Amino acid sequence: MSRAKEIFESESFIPVEYEGTPIYINRLFDTSPYAEVRYDNGAVTNVPVSELKEARQQTH
């Protein structure tokens, strides 16, 4: 949860994935182990923070 909070509060863009799909963290819930996330298509859902993965950044 602490890494998710660092990513959420970061001024830099840190890519995150849920089940292999890029997402944006909209909100972290203080009272549960879930986060509200948004997909590129605009869909919003709640997912377990433990299932979020930092995506590898592409280097060119």
Side-chain angles (χ1 to χ4, degrees):
M1 182 70 125
S2 62
R3 181 61 182 143
K5 188 172 182 173
E6 288 174 5
I7 292 169
F8 179 69
E9 293 176 347
S10 175
E11 293 182 14
S12 303
F13 174 75
I14 300 171
V16 177
E17 294 178 348
Y18 175 66
E19 296 183 337
T21 303
I23 55 93
Y24 300 92
I25 300 172
N26 283 349
R27 178 179 173 195
L28 294 171
F29 299 101
D30 292 330
T31 58
S32 77
Y34 285 83
E36 179 183 280
V37 301
R38 178 176 47 86
Y39 291 92
D40 284 339
N41 68 4
V44 176
T45 190
N46 294 340
V47 301
V49 171
S50 62
E51 299 295 316
L52 299 178
K53 307 286 183 217
E54 258 183 273
R56 295 179 192 240
Q57 297 209 12
Q58 300 288 335
T59 56
H60 298 285

